[in-house]
């Protein structure tokens, strides 16, 4: 009987210790792991303004969940008029070491052909501690080279407003692509991949970018926007349709779409 009382006392003491240990928040990112994921399959069809861990940012634009183009699952369709915007926003996205990978399937039905130098953004990462906007996926219509070309860019920071587009990375309309980017705070490096292939011409870093002679430095990231924004008024065409699916953000590279 005495042994049973001693055992019960030991169990009670152990339970008290466990209760005293503070619980770890499930929102705290681990050293390696998924920070955000969305494939839209669990959202109802029709207009949408929020999902699992994300909200919408629109102006003359809409987000709609639609049946998948391939006949499987669902996808997000974004529509804008003129120089409007339509983004899904991960508002509390932080990563260990201020570095992460992002991957998504993407199709842009048409890119601008006017005005000259029309500039568009697909992804924008930012942080509340700095005005710098990092645009790891975007591009520009270059009349001198008769097309739209992908480029990494930035705005509002010490390096100014720039998009380092390259003719080696033409933007093709009406085609699904698996696009990835890596934000590496070690040297403020942005690396882009299309369909699993690295695009070294698009890489920018602290001292190699398209802005002023100042160093390009990341903010402490806490927000990621994915969608579409065109900045010039009265563009041609006058409206834009973009499709997205299989979004994943992680502390390490995610498998292909």
């Amino acid at each position: 009987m005495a042994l049973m009382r001693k055992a019960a006392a030991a169990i009670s003491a152990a339970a008290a210790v466990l209760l005293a240990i503070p619980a770890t928040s499930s929102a705290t990112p681990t050293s390696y792991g998924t920070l955000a994921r969305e494939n839209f399959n669990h959202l109802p069809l029709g207009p949408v303004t929020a999902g699992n861990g994300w909200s919408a940012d629109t102006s003359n634009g809409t987000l709609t969940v639609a049946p998948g183009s391939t006949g499987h699952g669902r996808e997000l369709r974004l529509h804008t008029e003129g120089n409007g915007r339509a983004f899904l926003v991960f508002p509390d996205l932080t990563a260990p070491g201020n570095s992460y990978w992002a991957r998504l399937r993407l199709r842009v039905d048409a890119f601008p052909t006017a005005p000259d130098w029309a500039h568009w953004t697909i992804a924008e990462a930012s942080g509340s501690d700095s005005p710098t906007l990092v645009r790891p996926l975007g591009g520009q219509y270059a009349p001198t080279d008769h097309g739209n070309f992908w480029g990494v860019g930035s705005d509002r920071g010490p390096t100014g407003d720039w998009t380092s587009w390259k003719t080696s990375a033409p933007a093709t309309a009406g085609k699904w692509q698996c696009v990835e980017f890596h934000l590496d705070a070690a040297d403020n490096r942005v690396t882009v991949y299309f369909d699993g292939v690295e695009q070294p011409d698009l890489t920018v870093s602290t001292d190699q970018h398209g802005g002023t002679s100042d160093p390009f430095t990341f903010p402490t990231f806490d927000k990621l926007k994915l969608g579409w924004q065109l900045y010039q008024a009265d563009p041609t065409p006058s409206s834009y349709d973009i499709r997205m699916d299989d979004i994943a953000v992680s502390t390490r590279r995610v498998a292909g779409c």
Side-chain angles (χ1 to χ4, degrees):
M1 197 68 174
L3 287 174
M4 292 179 64
R5 284 197 296 269
K6 287 182 179 178
I11 291 171
S12 298
V17 170
L18 289 173
L19 290 172
I21 298 173
T24 301
S25 170
S26 60
T28 302
T30 57
S31 297
Y32 294 99
T34 300
L35 303 174
R37 186 179 292 273
E38 181 63 88
N39 62 14
F40 308 102
N41 291 341
H42 300 290
L43 293 173
L45 296 174
V48 63
T49 58
N52 183 21
W54 60 268
S55 58
D57 174 20
T58 61
S59 176
N60 294 323
T62 58
L63 282 68
T64 303
V65 176
S69 305
T70 61
H72 301 284
R74 298 178 179 185
E75 65 191 33
L76 184 68
R77 299 188 180 180
L78 306 97
H79 176 83
T80 63
E81 294 287 336
N83 60 341
R85 69 178 184 271
F87 286 105
L88 64 83
V89 184
F90 296 103
D92 300 304
L93 199 151
T94 60
N98 202 39
S99 304
Y100 60 83
W101 291 79
R103 180 216 68 192
L104 65 149
R105 291 179 65 232
L106 174 71
R107 172 182 166 137
V108 180
D109 284 0
F111 289 98
T113 57
D116 290 353
W117 309 108
H119 171 210
W120 39 272
T121 292
I122 299 287
E124 181 179 274
S126 60
S128 57
D129 68 333
S130 167
T132 300
L133 302 175
V134 178
R135 292 168 176 159
L137 284 176
Q140 199 156 15
Y141 169 61
T144 52
D145 292 277
H146 312 291
N148 280 267
F149 302 96
W150 290 101
V152 174
S154 183
D155 195 7
R156 300 186 185 177
T159 56
D161 180 5
W162 52 272
T163 301
S164 187
W165 57 269
K166 302 293 182 182
T167 56
S168 57
T172 305
K175 174 187 176 183
W176 280 101
Q177 284 185 291
C178 183
V179 298
E180 303 169 85
F181 59 85
H182 182 206
L183 302 175
D184 186 355
D187 58 353
N188 301 287
R189 180 177 297 265
V190 181
T191 310
V192 178
Y193 300 73
F194 295 144
D195 297 321
V197 179
E198 183 178 346
Q199 307 295 307
D201 286 359
L202 297 183
T203 300
V204 304
S205 59
T206 307
D207 297 315
Q208 296 182 336
H209 52 81
T212 68
S213 58
D214 295 291
F216 171 56
T217 57
F218 288 171
T220 302
F221 294 123
D222 59 21
K223 180 187 294 185
L224 175 63
K225 299 169 63 172
L226 298 172
W228 174 267
Q229 183 166 8
L230 179 64
Y231 301 94
Q232 286 70 34
D234 301 317
T236 302
S238 61
S239 64
Y240 296 87
D241 292 281
I242 297 88
R243 308 179 195 191
M244 289 186 174
D245 202 358
D246 297 329
I247 297 170
V249 185
S250 178
T251 57
R252 55 186 171 186
R253 191 175 182 185
V254 183
C257 297

